[in-house]
Amino acid sequence: MKLRIISVALIGIFIYSCSPKITPQVTEASTVKGDTEEPAISSVSLPANSTDGKSIYENNCAKCHKLYDPKSFSRQAWIPILYDMQKKAQLSDAEMDKILAYLSKE
């Protein structure tokens, strides 16, 4: 009986670890004003000066891997990358916004 429980648990862990990781999709919201459709303003305000984002990026991300050139990816490509790394680097949402502003400014 113990052998069955252990084997079911191991199979469950194996299946869970092999499942695809789902990242949130980023969609651009839009509003309709009159006859034209205009992009909605994001609720996240980006800082005018991205030096904070650069220093956070260099100090936290370089601890684990080489730093990528900000031009390596588009803004839309950086978002899921940063989302995955946020948990590992233990960064707040405000810090992630600053990093994203720096990476997409270049």
Side-chain angles (χ1 to χ4, degrees):
M1 185 65 175
K2 288 181 184 180
L3 183 61
R4 285 185 180 175
I5 293 172
I6 291 172
S7 52
V8 168
L10 288 175
I11 291 171
I13 291 170
F14 178 75
I15 291 171
Y16 177 75
S17 65
C18 292
S19 65
K21 307 302 182 234
I22 299 173
T23 58
Q25 292 183 345
V26 178
T27 58
E28 186 175 319
S30 61
T31 58
V32 177
K33 288 185 178 182
D35 293 335
T36 61
E37 187 175 308
E38 299 177 6
I41 297 173
S42 174
S43 62
V44 177
S45 61
L46 299 175
N49 189 350
S50 65
T51 57
D52 291 340
K54 181 179 180 181
S55 65
I56 295 169
Y57 176 66
E58 290 173 349
N59 292 330
N60 289 292
C61 301
K63 290 178 183 177
C64 299
H65 56 81
K66 70 179 185 89
L67 296 178
Y68 291 97
D69 182 30
K71 297 176 186 177
S72 298
F73 302 101
S74 67
R75 178 181 175 85
Q76 294 301 319
W78 275 116
I79 292 173
I81 295 169
L82 293 176
Y83 178 78
D84 289 341
M85 293 292 116
Q86 180 178 10
K87 296 174 189 171
K88 294 176 184 177
Q90 298 176 348
L91 296 171
S92 68
D93 289 336
E95 291 171 321
M96 294 306 291
D97 290 340
K98 291 177 183 178
I99 292 172
L100 182 60
Y102 162 69
L103 294 174
S104 52
K105 179 180 177 184
E106 296 293 319

